[in-house]
Amino acid sequence: MSETVTMEGPVCPVPIRKRGRVIMGHGSGGKLSQDLIGDLFLPPFDNPVLRAGNDAGVVPIEDDRPLAISTDSHVVWPLFFPGGDIGRLAVCGTVNDVAMMGARPQYLTAGFILEEGLELGLLEQVVDSMRLSAAEAGVHIIAGDTKVVERGKADGLYINTAGVGQVWDGAEIGGDRARPGDVVILSGSIGDHGIAVLEARGELGFQSDVTSDVAPLNHLVEAMLATSKKIHVLRDPTRGGVASSLNEIAAQSQVGILLNESTIPIRPAVQAACEMLGFDPLYIANEGKLLAIVAEEDATAVLETMRQTRYGEESVVIGRVEAEPKARVLMKTAIGTTRIVDMLAGEMLPRIC
């Protein structure tokens, strides 16, 4: 069978670069988000650290290891969903962003936007979940802020977290460091978080046993870095999913990435939900998975370490980095064709993180 390249992609609106108002697609993690950041935020704040385009900024510290610093806002609804809640999501999301730069997360801050009428018992549950998640990750919440807005002005509760940690010795990780010949590793099944949140909203039309994968990945990353200093890129594929994350990396590094569809793990219940709703699992948010791009000579050792570590037991190789086509992600399909895996254009899913 001859090889063909097709233009399949997610169900989403065609991107429009210039709009007069913010739309939901600007928060998708896809092309509209990149346009908003690149056109509106980056020019006035431009500096080399921000321009690198990673999930955390790495800054030098005199006579010491660099610091990785990140911030994230969490606006998920409902506040509780199978496998997690907004509190666990807030802690794990920021811990993971810092860890993806090869850093050890150490301290977090937390800002709470509370809606008038929120039950204090529910808030107490969220705070306790944050306590437990921070203890699991080994980080401390050292500062915070609380604001209250009028009834109807928020979904009960929004949380902003910022995190800081020191980069491990020898770790040189960033989205611009992928090289031809590198191996792409995924730490487990995709789409679990997005489908779990949709089910909690009653939007699937059926019941499943899917639970969110939300988890702190810093201990997994620490084990990986102890195994190899040739881990070039780490990324947690949250908004926009695996497809958008790999497109970002391909563009940052000016390389091509070739995926093998048959090796990408997707739980049957997630696949069934996506087929019913017209979604592509590659574009659905994850909150406890990572992508690692590793030099070929160390890939086997890193993979074995991941499989022996909590939250990495299901790790698999899903592709390779190629010299061409630059800034493109392709996927070898199960029927032997090759299709383009493009960046998410607009908003495919309701807000899930």
Side-chain angles (χ1 to χ4, degrees):
M1 180 181 294
S2 62
E3 182 176 286
T4 59
V5 177
T6 61
M7 290 293 292
E8 299 173 20
V11 178
C12 53
V14 174
I16 300 175
R17 294 187 61 84
K18 299 296 183 181
R19 292 180 181 265
R21 298 179 185 274
V22 172
I23 62 173
M24 289 301 296
H26 284 123
S28 66
K31 288 181 179 177
L32 287 177
S33 294
Q34 288 194 339
D35 289 346
L36 183 68
I37 294 168
D39 295 343
L40 193 149
F41 291 114
L42 184 57
F45 301 145
D46 187 33
N47 63 73
V49 176
L50 190 62
R51 200 180 311 132
N54 295 310
D55 285 343
V58 175
V59 295
I61 300 296
E62 187 174 354
D63 299 326
D64 208 341
R65 289 177 291 162
L67 289 181
I69 304 171
S70 184
T71 186
D72 204 353
S73 298
H74 308 273
V75 294
V76 68
W77 186 87
L79 301 179
F80 291 82
F81 45 84
D85 58 83
I86 191 172
R88 182 168 175 80
L89 182 68
V91 170
C92 295
T94 298
V95 163
N96 293 346
D97 282 347
V98 172
M100 294 306 117
M101 300 310 299
R104 175 193 171 208
Q106 294 167 282
Y107 302 106
L108 302 183
T109 66
F112 297 85
I113 308 298
L114 310 177
E115 183 179 357
E116 179 187 18
L118 177 69
E119 295 181 9
L120 289 178
L122 186 148
L123 178 59
E124 186 176 13
Q125 292 180 55
V126 170
V127 170
D128 194 54
S129 179
M130 295 179 71
R131 176 185 65 82
L132 293 172
S133 299
E136 180 183 354
V139 300
H140 299 284
I141 298 173
I142 61 167
D145 182 54
T146 303
K147 295 291 188 297
V148 177
V149 298
E150 294 87 351
R151 189 184 302 268
K153 297 295 180 67
D155 290 331
L157 168 65
Y158 299 148
I159 303 175
N160 173 272
T161 43
V164 62
Q166 284 190 298
V167 175
W168 290 101
D169 284 334
E172 296 183 358
I173 293 171
D176 62 343
R177 294 181 180 273
R179 298 293 181 264
D182 287 353
V183 174
V184 182
I185 301 174
L186 173 65
S187 66
S189 61
I190 62 172
D192 296 358
H193 175 72
I195 296 304
V197 172
L198 290 180
E199 181 179 343
R201 291 176 181 164
E203 295 182 6
L204 292 186
F206 64 90
Q207 297 293 314
S208 76
D209 60 356
V210 177
T211 60
S212 172
D213 59 350
V214 58
L217 302 177
N218 53 313
H219 300 310
L220 171 60
V221 170
E222 182 177 348
M224 295 165 64
L225 291 172
T227 300
S228 172
K229 301 303 182 186
K230 296 182 180 180
I231 299 171
H232 295 156
V233 185
L234 291 170
R235 189 70 55 91
D236 57 331
T238 53
R239 290 183 303 167
V242 166
S244 294
S245 292
L246 289 176
N247 270 279
E248 290 174 357
I249 294 166
Q252 287 176 274
S253 295
Q254 284 299 293
V255 295
I257 296 176
L258 178 63
L259 304 178
N260 185 345
E261 183 179 37
S262 65
T263 64
I264 298 174
I266 306 170
R267 301 193 193 283
V270 171
Q271 186 68 56
C274 289
E275 290 175 356
M276 288 185 62
L277 299 170
F279 295 151
D280 186 336
L282 286 171
Y283 296 87
I284 295 181
N286 313 273
E287 291 293 346
K289 300 297 187 302
L290 65 78
L291 292 160
I293 296 181
V294 185
E296 183 176 22
E297 59 267 27
D298 281 14
T300 298
V302 171
L303 181 63
E304 290 176 354
T305 294
M306 294 174 70
R307 288 175 172 172
Q308 295 169 11
T309 308
R310 189 180 184 189
Y311 303 128
E313 298 95 335
E314 300 177 350
S315 298
V316 291
V317 172
I318 63 167
R320 297 181 64 86
V321 177
E322 308 282 351
E324 300 288 342
K326 295 187 186 303
R328 279 291 192 182
V329 179
L330 304 178
M331 184 162 69
K332 182 78 69 174
T333 69
I335 61 173
T337 62
T338 301
R339 74 174 177 94
I340 295 172
V341 179
D342 207 351
M343 173 74 76
L344 180 67
E347 187 79 357
M348 182 175 70
L349 295 173
R351 189 178 66 219
I352 55 177
C353 57

